Amino acid sequence: MRKSILSLPIGAMILFLVSCQKGTEDKTNTNDQLISKVNSWLDKQKFPSQPNKAGNIDLLKSNLSFSGLRFEQLNQEERFIVIPVNEEYAAKKNIDRNVVLMLLLVVNKATNIIRGNLVLYTPENNESLKTFPHNTFSKMHNNQNIDCNGLFNFQSVTGRKMYQREYKDGKLRSFGYVKASNKPDGLDNQPEGRIEADCTYYYYILTWWVDGVPVSQEAIFLGSICSGACDDPNNQTLCPDDGGGFGGSGSEGIEQLCCIPDPNAQFSSEQINMTRDDCGLEGANPITGNPIKSCTHSWTFHRWRLLWYKWDFTAFINTGLEKEAGVWKFKTIAFQSVARDGQLPPCVSSECTVNAANVSISADGSTAQLILNYTIENRVNCYVWWAPQNMRNMIQKDWPVPL
């Protein structure tokens, strides 16, 4: 039978009550520290030259509902903090009442804030949403289906329009981001962000997806901003932040420009098995007189994705074959190399290092084998906070004699 607290000895009761009180105090202190970090980070996004945008941040700070705060996992090193925003913010910024507002922050293991966005979620058909599904952002940025549909509009915390994700049937339907150009009649290769010229022209680059595959892309003209002070207080403005803008880094006071418009996008990969045999013309063994030929075998074994970019890694081996009693058999084998193929983002590096490549031929000569031990390192070079990501694997491939 479980004892009630009233049946405990006086000393034990006091110890129990003190322990409970200490646990409550620790939790309160932790929450207070986190709230302090959030407010401090938001203050760092302000710039004296933009008092209207600073006012947007103050309004946001006063409407954060910390009681609804929750964590979601982004990757092994980072977590999301999702903080609901009160309806008063939406009312003062003329945002539709059915739009769900959240402050989305990314923190490291020490709960230090690295970057953040204001997110406006418009449910499908502008429906009124009673609850927002947990782990939505975790699933979204780890290339999984989510549990709701609609449009997620990501802004800087000052209200600058940055990028959006649209979902249908839980799958990514479209991805769009703002791109700047110094040409009024089209896009060029300039990076996203402010361009020092008389005028900057802004376009929305919208990519459409079908069943996880990007199928088309279009550019939509949004407007222009010409030289002079820019301090637009409106929601979803094009007006650049004076610093700490793209990705919401803020602490350095420098706007980070990157070819990956969503700073929370994660690499995804899958092991695949695509092979090809390319054999040369037949010759003759000068000793045995048997037919011989040389072959190059390719094996595409690993595919990577980041947003709409996709690239593969392929291993190559060379073999020598001889026909004995009418049957082709492997006689020699040598590992050649690993190569990358596909579309890699210009600001991203993805390299495969071969740690070991062991090749062998079966006793009867009918099978050639490669055991490959490799490491793939991915880097996003335009975000100073991005840590290199390494993946080490060991895989095996057996080749039958090509027909």
Side-chain angles (χ1 to χ4, degrees):
M1 180 180 295
R2 187 178 60 184
K3 292 184 177 181
S4 71
I5 187 173
L6 295 178
S7 65
L8 293 174
I10 298 297
M13 184 183 298
I14 294 174
L15 182 61
F16 175 81
L17 294 174
V18 170
S19 176
C20 290
Q21 183 178 3
K22 185 177 185 301
T24 303
E25 289 175 352
D26 288 344
K27 184 177 180 180
T28 301
N29 290 338
T30 301
N31 290 342
D32 289 344
Q33 291 173 4
L34 185 56
I35 292 172
S36 177
K37 285 184 178 182
V38 171
N39 288 328
S40 176
W41 182 86
L42 286 170
D43 284 334
K44 290 178 181 178
Q45 313 311 305
K46 300 177 183 177
F47 294 90
S49 61
Q50 294 178 310
N52 287 329
K53 287 197 168 193
N56 288 349
I57 293 176
D58 287 334
L59 180 63
L60 177 62
K61 286 174 58 180
S62 65
N63 282 282
L64 292 177
S65 179
F66 286 102
S67 61
L69 179 151
R70 70 172 185 259
F71 287 90
E72 296 183 13
Q73 199 69 32
L74 175 57
N75 52 49
Q76 291 183 345
E77 302 295 326
E78 299 173 331
R79 290 188 298 170
F80 285 122
I81 297 178
V82 184
I83 307 174
V85 179
N86 296 329
E87 293 180 357
E88 183 180 350
Y89 181 94
K92 290 189 175 181
K93 289 299 172 183
N94 296 315
I95 299 172
D96 189 279
R97 61 181 298 177
N98 289 333
V99 173
V100 181
L101 280 82
M102 292 157 284
L103 177 62
L104 183 69
L105 302 172
V106 177
V107 298
N108 59 19
K109 289 184 176 180
T111 324
N112 294 322
I113 300 172
I114 304 171
R115 57 191 180 273
N117 295 96
L118 178 63
V119 182
L120 284 68
Y121 168 53
T122 304
E124 188 177 39
N125 300 322
N126 203 33
E127 298 173 353
S128 179
L129 193 69
K130 301 300 181 183
T131 59
F132 186 77
H134 282 226
N135 294 315
T136 294
F137 295 105
S138 176
K139 293 179 179 179
M140 176 186 299
H141 288 96
N142 283 282
N143 305 299
Q144 301 173 15
N145 290 349
I146 66 174
D147 301 314
C148 56
N149 297 312
L151 184 66
F152 293 83
N153 194 316
F154 292 78
Q155 303 178 173
S156 72
V157 292
T158 67
R160 177 166 64 99
K161 186 177 179 66
M162 297 173 65
Y163 59 95
Q164 71 180 38
R165 287 171 171 261
E166 183 186 10
Y167 286 80
K168 178 70 174 178
D169 298 326
K171 300 178 181 179
L172 182 64
R173 182 171 182 260
S174 69
F175 181 93
Y177 68 97
V178 177
K179 182 179 177 66
S181 172
N182 59 2
K183 296 181 180 180
D185 56 349
L187 295 175
D188 55 15
N189 293 323
Q190 299 289 343
E192 296 84 351
R194 182 185 294 240
I195 297 174
E196 298 300 332
D198 291 337
C199 290
T200 301
Y201 301 86
Y202 289 88
Y203 296 80
Y204 209 62
I205 310 302
L206 191 61
T207 303
W208 295 92
W209 259 261
V210 174
D211 293 329
V213 179
V215 294
S216 64
Q217 192 174 74
E218 60 180 315
I220 303 168
F221 179 68
L222 295 176
S224 62
I225 296 176
C226 296
S227 58
C230 186
D231 186 22
D232 190 345
N234 294 320
N235 181 259
Q236 299 194 51
T237 176
L238 296 175
C239 185
D241 299 326
D242 271 2
F246 204 88
S249 62
S251 57
E252 292 83 11
I254 300 173
E255 185 166 0
Q256 294 190 56
L257 310 177
C258 191
C259 72
I260 304 300
D262 183 350
N264 298 319
Q266 301 291 297
F267 289 94
S268 64
S269 68
E270 58 181 327
Q271 290 189 352
I272 58 177
N273 184 24
M274 297 170 55
T275 60
R276 177 176 172 177
D277 302 315
D278 294 303
C279 298
L281 298 176
E282 292 185 18
N285 186 322
I287 299 175
T288 64
N290 292 332
I292 58 173
K293 62 182 177 180
S294 298
C295 297
T296 298
H297 310 271
S298 65
W299 174 33
T300 302
F301 58 91
H302 216 149
R303 173 165 293 166
W304 287 83
R305 300 176 189 270
L306 183 61
L307 293 179
W308 54 87
Y309 298 97
K310 180 179 70 175
W311 62 97
D312 298 332
F313 287 99
T314 302
F316 297 88
I317 64 169
N318 297 323
T319 61
L321 295 89
E322 185 172 346
K323 197 172 189 179
E324 298 178 343
V327 178
W328 284 103
K329 296 182 179 182
F330 288 110
K331 290 297 183 178
T332 63
I333 183 171
F335 172 74
Q336 182 179 344
S337 63
V338 168
R340 187 187 68 229
D341 183 46
Q343 187 183 20
L344 192 69
C347 61
V348 170
S349 63
S350 183
E351 303 296 334
C352 180
T353 300
V354 177
N355 306 313
N358 299 317
V359 292
S360 61
I361 296 173
S362 63
D364 61 359
S366 64
T367 304
Q369 183 181 90
L370 168 65
I371 299 177
L372 188 66
N373 187 309
Y374 65 97
T375 300
I376 292 178
E377 181 182 84
N378 296 315
R379 289 177 178 265
V380 177
N381 302 313
C382 48
Y383 287 130
V384 296
W385 40 260
W386 192 289
Q389 298 181 357
N390 295 293
M391 175 180 285
R392 183 164 182 158
N393 281 295
M394 185 172 70
I395 52 179
Q396 175 181 317
K397 177 63 182 176
D398 295 330
W399 279 271
V401 171
L403 300 177

